[in-house]
Amino acid sequence: MIKIEALLDDDGVLKACKACGHSGAGKAGNDIVCAAVSVLIRTTVSTLSNRNGITVNFDAPERGQLWLETQHDAEGKDFLCAVGEFLINGLSSVAGEYPENCKLTVKKC
């Protein structure tokens, strides 16, 4: 199972997201749950990395592990909030459709 934890600040702005594990929904390289989670997180990182006012740290230290952390200033806050909401909605959709393979937890920090 892929376990995903997203951390939001008090204003609902994405601070971090960590995904660990393997979904087991298919063979390596053909697992749609893994692919969906990977694409959502990697696209979020790519989108945020090119935006003024936002700093993103990202790593995928080994297969089955992805994490990102964000920082923002006033200029980047609204964009980060919107992209973070997109990420959470996408991950929630995957977790809802494949509850045996993916679990999303959203926490406020």
Side-chain angles (χ1 to χ4, degrees):
M1 173 175 287
I2 300 173
K3 294 181 181 178
I4 306 163
E5 183 175 287
L7 298 175
L8 308 177
D9 69 12
D10 289 336
D11 293 329
V13 179
L14 180 68
K15 297 293 289 175
C17 184
K18 179 180 178 182
C20 295
H22 299 282
S23 78
K27 293 180 182 178
N30 293 306
D31 187 325
I32 61 171
V33 176
C34 178
V37 170
S38 295
V39 166
L40 285 165
I41 293 174
R42 288 177 182 273
T43 301
T44 296
V45 169
S46 177
T47 301
L48 295 176
S49 294
N50 298 315
R51 192 66 176 208
N52 290 333
I54 299 171
T55 302
V56 180
N57 293 314
F58 170 77
D59 198 10
E62 60 186 63
R63 292 181 69 89
Q65 292 187 354
L66 297 170
W67 63 264
L68 69 92
E69 294 176 341
T70 67
Q71 295 179 340
H72 66 86
D73 61 19
E75 180 183 5
K77 181 179 179 181
D78 289 341
F79 188 76
L80 177 55
C81 190
V83 172
E85 185 175 336
F86 176 85
L87 174 64
I88 300 299
N89 285 339
L91 293 171
S92 180
S93 177
V94 173
E97 192 167 340
Y98 298 95
E100 308 83 30
N101 308 100
C102 183
K103 180 180 179 185
L104 171 65
T105 303
V106 179
K107 297 181 178 180
K108 292 239 177 164
C109 59

